[in-house]
Amino acid sequence: MPPHVDVVIVFCAIRKKAASFSKEQVRQNAVKAEKQYSKLINTLTRAGLKAVGRRGESQGQLLVMVTCPQNVLAKLIHCERHSDFLYGLPMSKLPSTSDFESAPLSPADRIRLILGFISSTPEDGGLGIIPGRKEWDLVESVMALHDHDFNDHWIRLWTRHRIASVELEKIRDQFGDSVALYFFFLTAYTQALIFPAALGTIYYLWGKPYSASYSTLLLLWSIAFVEWWRLQERILSIRWCIRGSWRVEKRRADYLPSFPWWKQEMRMMAGLPVILLFATILAVMLTGIFVLEAFVTQLYKGPGHTYVAFAPTILFSLLVPRLLAMYQKLATNFTDWENHKHQSSHSSSLSLKVFTLSAMNAYLGIALSAFVYVPFGESVMNFVQSYLFTGGHRALALLEKYNVSFNATSNFGARGAGGKKISAAGLNLWESDRKSARRMLNSSRLQDQMFAFSVTNQAVDTFTAIGLPYILRAVESFRNGKGFRNGNGKGHGKKKRVAFDDEPVGHDAHGREEREFLERVRSEVVLPEYDVFTDYSEMVTQFGYVALWSTIWPLAPAMALFNNYIEARSDAFKIAVHTRRPTPVRTDTIGPWLESLSFLTWLSALTNSALVYLFRPPDQQENELGTMVAANATDESQHLNHHPLPSLAATRELLMSALLIALFASHGYLVMRAAVRHVLKHAIWTGSKEMKEAEHVEREMKEKYLSSLGQCTPDENVMLEATDEKDEWATFWTIDEGKDDIGKMLKDL
């Protein structure tokens, strides 16, 4: 058995930019590193922990192995359970002096307690070893090690008939409440997708396109799932004894207690203009790329037109990720500036900021196609065509004015052979015929986009999460001359290894086992930290595609169901192989993602009603499937199947009608949500074991406390013997006339 290590502290004695330092700076950094390392070891050992340092993967990296003795752990358990009792959290047992023996900890709770003790502030009873703080600037991170036996068992248990692979309780015991809550949400959401997947398949094969009944049922399903999860979240929090866990959450190290509440609110409001600014920039950028891809590249017929079609994709890849990365960094700084007391509120605020632009990036393209390209594509095409043609003539006229001409050697066109001058009329780079331009409109653009989002993008995301880390790690490993190593730290192939000075070099089994253990630790340290935000964001974005846009392509829920069947396994594989062990977090909710789901459900009421109104075919075409743009591209009388070619007045009337219908749908959503919430509350929550436990938990804790003090509770009978007391009315209490009166009444009868 390898040594038991609870926590690994990554200490960087040499900075990455040390190569550019002078000798004096290097010496000063070495002295500073020595002092801070000694302080780190002393702080840990004085607190009763065992700590020892080992060399890391790179030069100057030290790995401090920490383990917690049983007596220190028992004290941490006792303190936490007393805190839970004082703040009213549900508890299965009253705090006692034998907490550790009476209720052994799960691995996740053990790691959470030790990590919290090391990383929390001294005001909260911790050691204050917080990575990034001024006094601990050489501490890179504090992490826990994987349980590879559990990970291997988790992966081997995957079968075609199971989604979660192992029971959720075991996931919670290993990785904590936050990860278990995510997998429970993923499992519940995947199972809930069975209904819209079956419904969408039926409507796709035999139903009507843009069916009002399908959209209504889809909206009802969305509302029911969100409200069901709201109740299920409450039930889980009581079952896991974590209801209201935010009340006992440790404070953030950067929190300023004396900071006025109104200043925090003002700082949060100050971030709104920044969000709006980046949202506007992103919207303009995406709209420009959309116009370039949907219209400009279609009209261009000059040299290299085949390669020009890739220009929108190249621009998107170059501009949008950079903008989102810049925004995320700025959003992180703003969230730090807001002075949140707890990490949960800090993470919620940051998640909402980041997901706002992420959702806009995901949905704006298909929204432009649905509400601009399809209804008004011909008008926009004519406008772009006129603008490009007029602008091209003006540019060429300006060039001719300055005696700049194109000839055959310029390769701008087929004309001008022999060096003949080409005029503005001769250089024809854009399609000028409107009938030809109209035929370039893609009648199945919406369906193509939904297929790309539902199938192609999800396949790419799965490869990025599972396959790409293997490739990147293999490349990095070969660059360093170490051969390929996977996330478990198990090498493939034979390679010569040189032992470090602090490692045992004997040939005994203990020495070999320790070397293998240290090698595994070093391989885990180089892995990135796991962030549940990415997984939640992916699932909530997918829920948005299903709820908002699957009316366009009813097979989208079926594709989402198939993807999630793989997603549960890929996420588990990612945690077990490609990331560090998740830090256990105590939480009773999925946080801001529940509100995001609610907002997307409300938005789906608007989009589905607008889609059905705009694109549902007339009665004589209800049995036809396909795009709602007229299939006959030569038909100049219609943009939509049942709306005439819009003039300015007709366009205004069409948009106003769609807006009124969306407004009506919004109010209908509120009514439907209230009804579904009422029904589910009585069907699931009212009368449940968790509801009864929630109602009586505070009373039960107080009763147990009174009992532990030897005091009686209100439900207990008081059976005490009377004492002899002097009372001048003692004779009054000895004469009872009740029996005599009743006896006389009986004699009279």
Side-chain angles (χ1 to χ4, degrees):
M1 291 284 295
H4 179 80
V5 175
D6 292 308
V7 171
V8 175
I9 301 176
V10 183
F11 186 89
C12 184
I14 300 177
R15 297 180 182 273
K16 295 180 179 180
K17 298 181 180 179
S20 60
F21 291 164
S22 63
K23 282 188 176 183
E24 181 62 23
Q25 289 176 320
V26 172
R27 189 188 68 81
Q28 293 177 357
N29 289 337
V31 172
K32 176 185 176 181
E34 183 182 9
K35 291 182 178 179
Q36 193 170 133
Y37 180 79
S38 300
K39 179 183 176 182
L40 174 64
I41 298 297
N42 292 335
T43 302
L44 294 171
T45 52
R46 281 201 305 267
L49 304 174
K50 293 182 180 179
V52 65
R54 290 288 190 271
R55 291 184 179 180
E57 183 75 13
S58 58
Q59 184 181 8
Q61 185 185 70
L62 298 175
L63 307 179
V64 181
M65 316 288 178
V66 181
T67 189
C68 182
Q70 296 293 76
N71 61 329
V72 178
L73 185 61
K75 183 178 179 181
L76 295 177
I77 298 170
H78 190 72
C79 291
E80 180 180 78
R81 291 180 180 169
H82 270 263
S83 177
D84 292 350
F85 174 77
L86 291 175
Y87 286 95
L89 268 70
M91 300 179 63
S92 58
K93 293 182 178 294
L94 191 71
S96 64
T97 55
S98 58
D99 286 306
F100 184 75
E101 291 79 7
S102 62
L105 283 185
S106 65
D109 284 336
R110 177 187 178 99
I111 293 172
R112 178 178 55 80
L113 283 173
I114 299 172
L115 278 173
F117 178 56
I118 294 174
S119 301
S120 59
T121 60
E123 292 79 9
D124 285 329
L127 302 181
I129 303 175
I130 304 169
R133 293 295 299 272
K134 183 178 180 181
E135 59 271 26
W136 300 108
D137 59 331
L138 298 182
V139 176
E140 288 187 350
S141 60
V142 183
M143 56 172 285
L145 298 176
H146 275 291
D147 182 350
H148 293 284
D149 292 335
F150 173 82
N151 291 347
D152 294 340
H153 178 68
W154 194 10
I155 295 174
R156 284 197 306 268
L157 278 181
W158 290 341
T159 66
R160 290 177 294 178
H161 305 290
R162 304 181 66 181
I163 291 180
S165 299
V166 294
E167 295 84 353
L168 291 169
E169 289 295 336
K170 293 183 179 179
I171 298 177
R172 179 173 178 253
D173 289 343
Q174 283 294 321
F175 304 118
D177 302 327
S178 179
V179 176
L181 207 56
Y182 165 72
F183 274 95
F184 193 96
F185 170 79
L186 176 59
T187 303
Y189 169 54
T190 302
Q191 293 172 348
L193 278 173
I194 295 175
F195 173 76
L199 187 70
T201 303
I202 293 173
Y203 272 85
Y204 179 80
L205 295 176
W206 300 289
K208 305 171 185 178
Y210 295 94
S211 170
S213 58
Y214 173 75
S215 299
T216 303
L217 291 173
L218 186 67
L219 178 61
L220 275 173
W221 169 82
S222 303
I223 296 173
F225 171 71
V226 173
E227 296 305 320
W228 175 85
W229 175 256
R230 196 184 301 273
L231 293 174
Q232 194 65 33
E233 193 177 73
R234 189 189 307 175
I235 291 173
L236 282 176
S237 65
I238 295 172
R239 187 183 302 167
W240 291 349
C241 298
I242 53 176
R243 181 74 171 169
S245 58
W246 58 271
R247 293 197 292 265
V248 294
E249 188 176 351
K250 304 294 185 182
R251 287 172 291 186
R252 297 179 64 248
D254 298 329
Y255 172 68
L256 302 176
S258 59
F259 199 76
W261 67 269
W262 59 269
K263 281 190 176 181
Q264 182 181 15
E265 296 295 327
M266 292 296 293
R267 289 187 175 185
M268 294 175 68
M269 294 294 293
L272 291 179
V274 178
I275 298 175
L276 292 176
L277 174 63
F278 275 87
T280 303
I281 295 174
L282 180 62
V284 171
M285 191 179 295
L286 292 176
T287 303
I289 294 174
F290 166 77
V291 173
L292 178 63
E293 185 267 334
F295 300 105
V296 177
T297 57
Q298 300 297 321
L299 293 173
Y300 180 75
K301 63 175 187 178
H305 64 276
T306 304
Y307 303 102
V308 171
F310 295 101
T313 304
I314 296 174
L315 287 176
F316 182 90
S317 302
L318 292 177
L319 299 179
V320 174
R322 292 176 182 270
L323 179 69
L324 293 178
M326 185 188 307
Y327 170 75
Q328 184 168 358
K329 183 177 180 180
L330 194 61
T332 303
N333 294 335
F334 261 95
T335 308
D336 293 339
W337 184 57
E338 291 169 358
N339 191 42
H340 290 274
K341 183 177 182 179
H342 298 134
Q343 185 61 38
S344 60
S345 61
H346 179 277
S347 300
S348 297
S349 179
L350 180 60
S351 297
L352 286 175
K353 291 185 180 70
V354 175
F355 184 70
T356 299
L357 259 68
S358 177
M360 179 180 293
N361 179 42
Y363 304 138
L364 185 58
I366 194 169
L368 289 171
S369 296
F371 302 121
V372 176
Y373 184 89
V374 175
F376 314 111
E378 186 175 336
S379 299
V380 177
M381 179 70 85
N382 292 339
F383 173 78
V384 173
Q385 189 179 21
S386 300
Y387 179 81
L388 292 174
F389 192 74
T390 305
H393 272 264
R394 289 177 180 175
L396 289 174
L398 183 64
L399 292 175
E400 290 179 358
K401 180 179 179 181
Y402 292 97
N403 200 26
V404 177
S405 61
F406 300 105
N407 52 40
T409 59
S410 302
N411 293 325
F412 273 86
R415 302 181 185 181
K420 182 179 178 181
K421 183 179 179 180
I422 302 175
S423 64
L427 186 60
N428 189 12
L429 301 179
W430 309 100
E431 179 61 58
S432 58
D433 183 64
R434 294 200 171 188
K435 291 185 179 180
S436 300
R438 191 181 304 116
R439 285 194 292 268
M440 295 177 181
L441 292 173
N442 184 5
S443 60
S444 59
R445 179 180 177 85
L446 280 175
Q447 286 78 7
D448 292 344
Q449 283 186 291
M450 281 301 299
F451 180 84
F453 292 135
S454 302
V455 180
T456 308
N457 285 7
Q458 293 186 132
V460 171
D461 291 340
T462 302
F463 171 76
T464 303
I466 301 301
L468 187 60
Y470 270 123
I471 298 174
L472 295 178
R473 227 173 16 248
V475 171
E476 183 66 22
S477 184
F478 277 114
R479 286 180 59 186
N480 297 331
K482 299 177 181 179
F484 175 72
R485 290 182 349 198
N486 62 20
N488 293 326
K490 299 175 183 177
H492 291 266
K494 296 181 179 180
K495 61 178 181 178
K496 184 178 180 181
R497 191 189 188 287
V498 180
F500 290 112
D501 294 339
D502 58 350
E503 295 181 7
V505 294
H507 295 283
D508 59 299
H510 185 77
R512 289 196 301 270
E513 190 174 25
E514 182 175 344
R515 285 196 299 272
E516 293 174 357
F517 170 74
L518 292 176
E519 183 67 21
R520 189 166 67 246
V521 171
R522 294 185 180 104
S523 68
E524 291 187 32
V525 168
V526 299
L527 296 176
E529 294 183 359
Y530 173 74
D531 186 7
V532 75
F533 168 85
T534 305
D535 292 332
Y536 272 125
S537 178
E538 185 178 349
M539 288 298 100
V540 174
T541 302
Q542 184 198 84
F543 175 85
Y545 281 123
V546 172
L548 294 171
W549 309 111
S550 65
T551 300
I552 298 170
W553 193 49
L555 287 181
M559 296 299 103
L561 177 63
F562 176 75
N563 173 80
N564 289 4
Y565 181 82
I566 301 174
E567 183 72 23
R569 291 153 174 76
S570 64
D571 287 342
F573 189 81
K574 178 177 65 175
I575 291 175
V577 176
H578 292 317
T579 67
R580 294 179 179 179
R581 182 172 184 160
T583 301
V585 176
R586 214 176 184 190
T587 181
D588 61 350
T589 176
I590 62 175
W593 302 110
L594 181 57
E595 300 307 319
S596 299
L597 291 171
S598 299
F599 175 77
L600 290 174
T601 304
W602 168 79
L603 191 61
S604 70
L606 277 63
T607 58
N608 281 291
S609 60
L611 288 171
V612 171
Y613 171 72
L614 289 173
F615 305 139
R616 188 169 182 265
D619 294 338
Q620 64 270 21
Q621 297 178 358
E622 284 184 348
N623 292 325
E624 298 177 4
L625 295 176
T627 177
M628 293 303 102
V629 180
N632 186 359
T634 63
D635 183 5
E636 302 178 15
S637 62
Q638 291 185 352
H639 273 291
L640 305 175
N641 282 338
H642 65 298
H643 293 291
L645 181 65
S647 62
L648 182 60
T651 300
R652 187 185 299 112
E653 181 181 356
L654 179 64
L655 293 178
M656 287 301 298
S657 300
L659 181 62
L660 289 175
I661 290 176
L663 183 62
F664 175 78
S666 175
H667 288 75
Y669 159 79
L670 297 177
V671 175
M672 292 170 63
R673 187 185 67 173
V676 170
R677 181 176 294 181
H678 177 77
V679 172
L680 289 179
K681 180 179 179 181
H682 285 278
I684 298 176
W685 176 252
T686 304
S688 65
K689 183 180 70 174
E690 287 78 13
M691 188 202 75
K692 295 176 182 178
E693 185 176 351
E695 289 179 348
H696 296 92
V697 62
E698 185 175 356
R699 177 184 175 89
E700 289 174 354
M701 285 194 300
K702 292 180 179 179
E703 286 179 354
K704 290 179 181 179
Y705 179 67
L706 290 175
S707 299
S708 67
L709 296 178
Q711 304 293 327
C712 64
T713 62
D715 294 336
E716 295 178 353
N717 293 325
V718 181
M719 302 294 292
L720 299 176
E721 296 181 357
T723 58
D724 296 332
E725 296 180 355
K726 292 182 179 181
D727 189 354
E728 57 180 336
W729 290 93
T731 57
F732 174 82
W733 300 104
T734 60
I735 301 174
D736 186 270
E737 299 176 350
K739 290 184 178 181
D740 295 338
D741 287 346
I742 294 174
K744 291 179 180 179
M745 293 172 60
L746 292 174
K747 288 179 180 180
D748 293 340
L749 295 175

